[in-house]
Amino acid sequence: MASVYVWDKVVRLTHWTVAVLFLSNFFLLEEGSELHEWAGYLILVAIGVRLVWGMMTASHARLSAFKPSVPKAIAHIREVFREKRDDHVGHNPAGAVMIWVMWSLIILTALSGWSMEEKVFGNKDLMEEIHEFLANLTMIAVTLHVGAVVLMTKVTHKPYLQGMLPRRRADK
């Protein structure tokens, strides 16, 4: 099996923090509960840490290393299915588009939830509909993301998930 880039600790920690908290909020925590709200705030903090880290690091996690481009993503997907390989280190062009889409949707979901509870726009029912729509759209993006990781692993034989898993001492 092909080797895979191993993401640094900050990337792995923020990734799994956002993943666990978002999925908990979506499936487990009661809508509007204090735990639901705090999970949303912690998600924003984790994404904020990741974005700041992305401006500071010199690794492939640097934000400028994966600028989103839909035409490049489409070309990349065609190339992967034609060549059956992915030679990118870090985010490939399709992954770059997906991560920016997910970050944007998650931030908008959290902000819409906050504005609903704080009555920022005065129409709680409308904000609740927007919040639920954004949460569902985010779940669609998350499902596509996970599906793409599985599909890309099958097509390229590159173990993408391993790069996001915690490292044992022997693996370092």
Side-chain angles (χ1 to χ4, degrees), residues 62-145:
R62 186 165 187 82
L63 298 179
S64 62
F66 57 99
K67 297 175 184 167
S69 166
V70 172
K72 287 182 182 177
I74 292 168
H76 170 71
I77 292 167
R78 286 182 179 147
E79 178 185 343
V80 165
F81 282 100
R82 186 176 56 249
E83 304 292 329
K84 307 288 189 233
R85 67 175 209 255
D86 177 15
D87 296 327
H88 289 88
V89 178
H91 286 293
N92 62 46
V97 169
M98 183 52 74
I99 191 62
W100 285 102
V101 166
M102 286 191 297
W103 283 342
S104 299
L105 286 171
I106 291 169
I107 290 167
L108 289 171
T109 301
L111 291 176
S112 67
W114 171 81
S115 67
M116 178 179 65
E117 292 304 317
E118 296 300 319
K119 299 170 185 69
V120 173
F121 297 108
N123 190 339
K124 185 175 180 174
D125 291 339
L126 175 62
M127 290 312 299
E128 186 173 352
E129 290 297 320
I130 291 170
H131 181 68
E132 287 180 14
F133 174 77
L134 289 168
N136 288 329
L137 204 54
T138 303
M139 181 52 72
I140 291 169
V142 167
T143 303
L144 289 172
H145 168 64

Side-chain angles (χ1 to χ4, degrees), residues 27 32 34-35 43 89 96 146 164:
F27 290 113
E34 194 170 337
L35 278 176
I43 289 168
V89 178
V146 172
M164 271 297 171

